Amino acid sequence: MASSDSFFNLYAHGFARVAVAVPVCRVADPAFNAQQTIALHHQAAAQGAVLVAFPELGLSAYTCDDLFHQRALLDACEAALAQVVAASVGVQAVAVVGLPLRVDHALFNAAAVVLDGRLLGVVPKTFLPNYGEFYEARQFAPATQAISTEVLLCGQTVPFGAQMLFDAGAALPGLKFHVEICEDVWVPIPPSSFAALAGATVLVNLSASNVTIGKADYRQALVAQQSARCIAAYLYSSAGYGESSTDLAWDGHALVCENGTLLAESERFRMDAQLLTADIDLERLSRERMRQTSYAASAARHRAEVAQFRTVRVALKRPDDAVLPLKRWVDRFPYVPSDPRSLDARCEEVYHIQVQALAKRLQSSGVQQLVIGVSGGLDSTHALLVCAKTMDRLGLPRTNIRACTMPGYATSGRTLDQALRLMDSLGCAAQTIDIRPSCQQMLDDIDHPFADGQPQYDITFENVQAGERTSHLFRLANHHHAMVVGTGDLSELALGWCTYGVGDHMSHYNVNASVPKTLIKHLVRWVAGKGEFGPDCSQTLLDVVETEISPELVPGNADGQPQQSSESSVGPYELQDFHLYYTLRFGFAPSKVAFLALHTWGDAQTGRWPEGIGAHNAYPLPEIKRHLRTFLWRFFKTSQFKRSCVPNAPKVGSGGSLSPRGDWRAPSDAEATVWLGDLDRVPD
């Protein structure tokens, strides 16, 4: 949990900055290579990194071939390592440096782990490529042939072996790294797989990796997949400019991936040195492993391999800067991709999921007709589009959709018009039912002041209307042997912004229950852009997107404009969806959620925005804190009873579902105290 005085430092929130260096090298010139290594090591530490990986055999260069068996070169490499170690005094960043090393009358392709004037350990390469352009078995021995478990190097006796974990301990909780070398990750079961099961969260690969056509894409996929399988961060270095071009070429391709996601990538074919940095989320990795219980089961299954790892303690101090901002890209809209191609694919897949789920429910129930309430607002518009696509998919007429708009005391002319236009353009069996007479009867029956002409617009007044609408829909469904399709979304369920039981909370099947408000807006806009329902429908959809979100349950002003705004009550959906994602998907503490929100939403001019966003809003920290408090109170304290009995609905995204039969099971009587207490630690 972050304290107020460290809130603005990324290390206070479970992050760690790491680096991958691609120095310019000279073949068989260890003194020069040492100086390049030292300079990049110091540069990485100055940028707040605590771990930096260098290329395979970086102190000698990879392309020395039979020069590796020359004593002069090997002596010079050890002397170069001593320079790196001496220059690391006072530098609070671990350097992992490659060199050829003589041990037990054998030569190993090795990685030396250096921190603050000390050698922490030396890791030999396990798998030696000896095919195609590679001849490593000609010069080197594999790690499995090592006899010694310690080595005397640079005047220090240090651990030697492939099965080592380097643990930063309490100084940086969660930072435990393992080192493997190049080919090790190209084999079916890399050493890092067992290291991850043994507890390593960061996997470091010192590589050379020459370039051929198409290899960069494969290399990136390989590294990303290894990080995903291991639920780990993966740092991949590569030899760059200066390696011998006798028979090969080198592109200096460096990568940092986290659980399948590419965080940073070097510019290939540069002729100067590069330092690649990325901020990895150690807490996120730990939580993903904890959540995916099969991960621990896999570790238990491979208990014999896991038990062979030994741990080396790393006396690392985290940067204690008062302000160390996050450099990592965090999406403003975690449910909505900012890349146009990804957004298009996401929207199409969401529709396929919803349509297929609704089609299956219709077929299994033997029902061929749907009933849906259409308000002219966002959620019911999207649900109606899903209904239309479902009928098309099943080969049924759209007139099997009994779409009903039900104006009440506060329905605006705009939304009513949009509802009518939408139903007409989609070819539904449209119906309009004025619910005011039945509401008036209910208000009379319960002796509500409004029935006597008093303008009392309380929660009872609102829910009478919501209940009457739902009651009409269910009775229409009974009358026509149909199914009521729900329209409420994930954001509303999270905030409890729905009328329990006889209101918009209930339906026979809800297609929107795991789709957040921000994504629904983009889905409707996406359908409008596709134009598949015709230009009139597309224009109506765009009008709906631009309509202020309101329950329209309290009479508007003299001009007929709604007085209610959902976002004025529960907070801006774009920000609350952000809070929801990181609370539901990862279980982050409110202080970390606030830190991420400030990084993402604090400045509208930074970062990428998805296409179609109108206003580019920014939120200062006090505003973030205020809206997050609203979210926490409503999510943890007041709304779970509504989520405990929601209708069936398909899970759409990895961001989670709030169904008690899916992602989220929680007590209806929980307190929000611990979450609000953590939020209080966020400075104002």
Side-chain angles (χ1 to χ4, degrees), residues 588-653:
F588 288 161
S591 53
K592 181 167 183 173
V593 176
F595 175 76
L596 290 170
L598 179 62
H599 169 70
T600 307
W601 287 97
D603 184 355
Q605 304 304 314
T606 61
R608 303 185 297 269
W609 290 81
E611 285 187 349
I613 297 292
H616 287 191
N617 298 315
Y619 300 95
L621 186 56
E623 200 168 343
I624 289 170
K625 188 175 178 181
R626 176 168 61 87
H627 292 307
L628 182 52
R629 184 175 299 278
T630 297
F631 172 83
L632 296 172
W633 177 259
R634 296 186 70 99
F635 185 81
F636 289 106
K637 174 64 177 173
T638 67
S639 304
Q640 180 57 38
F641 76 99
K642 296 181 180 180
R643 299 190 287 262
S644 294
C645 54
V646 293
N648 290 175
K651 178 180 177 180
V652 169

Side-chain angles (χ1 to χ4, degrees), residues 26-330:
R26 290 182 184 173
V27 179
D29 190 350
F32 173 84
N33 296 334
Q35 291 307 309
Q36 300 299 306
T37 299
I38 291 167
L40 289 171
H41 183 202
H42 285 235
Q43 185 180 337
Q47 293 184 18
V50 291
L51 175 63
V52 54
F54 290 87
E56 177 183 15
L57 296 169
L59 293 182
S60 59
Y62 180 80
T63 49
C64 288
D65 293 328
D66 286 350
L67 300 183
F68 283 125
H69 280 184
Q70 294 289 313
R71 176 182 170 183
L73 178 62
L74 299 177
D75 287 347
C77 286
E78 292 186 19
L81 178 62
Q83 293 178 43
V84 173
V85 173
S88 72
V89 173
V91 180
Q92 283 302 309
V94 176
V96 188
V97 183
L99 77 160
L101 187 64
R102 296 163 289 190
V103 180
D104 296 331
H105 312 292
L107 186 65
F108 294 91
N109 180 342
V113 181
V114 179
L115 173 66
D116 195 12
R118 292 186 57 229
L119 267 175
L120 302 180
V122 179
V123 179
K125 187 172 184 175
T126 299
F127 295 98
L128 302 178
N130 215 55
Y131 55 87
E133 62 265 44
F134 304 111
Y135 295 91
E136 284 190 38
R138 178 182 174 93
Q139 292 95 24
F140 297 104
T144 51
Q145 293 181 11
I147 298 172
S148 297
T149 57
E150 291 183 334
V151 62
L152 178 62
L153 188 61
C154 300
Q156 303 177 39
T157 300
V158 298
F160 176 74
Q163 292 161 314
M164 276 195 286
L165 304 177
F166 298 86
D167 188 356
L172 273 168
L175 180 60
K176 183 182 289 188
F177 67 91
H178 169 266
V179 180
E180 61 188 7
I181 301 176
C182 200
E183 185 76 5
D184 291 346
V185 77
W186 296 73
V187 300
I189 306 178
S192 56
S193 296
F194 295 121
L197 293 177
T201 53
V202 180
L203 312 174
V204 180
N205 188 308
L206 273 59
S207 177
S209 194
N210 63 301
V211 61
T212 54
I213 293 173
K215 189 174 183 180
D217 290 339
Y218 184 83
R219 187 190 291 133
Q220 183 190 107
L222 183 71
V223 171
Q225 281 301 310
Q226 182 63 359
S227 75
R229 270 191 301 272
C230 295
I231 313 182
Y234 202 100
L235 281 59
Y236 186 91
S237 66
S238 195
Y241 188 72
E243 288 284 358
S244 174
S245 60
T246 300
D247 289 301
L248 303 172
W250 311 87
D251 61 348
H253 192 196
L255 302 159
V256 179
C257 292
E258 178 188 293
N259 197 15
T261 299
L262 178 66
L263 297 185
E265 183 174 18
S266 66
E267 180 184 339
R268 298 167 58 218
F269 300 108
R270 285 261 297 261
M271 298 177 71
D272 58 349
Q274 289 188 74
L275 183 69
L276 191 70
T277 62
D279 296 341
I280 57 176
D281 193 338
L282 297 170
E283 181 190 0
R284 183 171 178 170
L285 294 172
S286 176
R287 290 188 174 278
E288 283 294 273
R289 291 181 178 184
M290 180 174 65
R291 172 177 171 269
Q292 187 174 315
T293 53
S294 54
Y295 191 90
S298 183
R301 183 179 181 87
H302 296 284
R303 186 178 288 106
E305 291 89 347
V306 167
Q308 295 178 35
F309 283 86
R310 48 183 166 157
T311 299
V312 177
R313 300 299 173 187
V314 181
L316 188 61
K317 298 178 182 177
R318 79 180 197 190
D320 58 1
D321 310 54
V323 177
L324 189 61
L326 195 64
K327 288 185 177 180
R328 177 190 181 105
W329 166 251
V330 178

Side-chain angles (χ1 to χ4, degrees), residues 495-519:
L495 293 160
W497 194 243
C498 54
T499 303
Y500 180 78
V502 295
D504 54 337
H505 171 265
M506 190 48 59
S507 62
H508 287 124
Y509 196 74
N510 184 356
V511 294
N512 285 348
S514 72
V515 188
K517 188 78 75 177
T518 48
L519 181 54

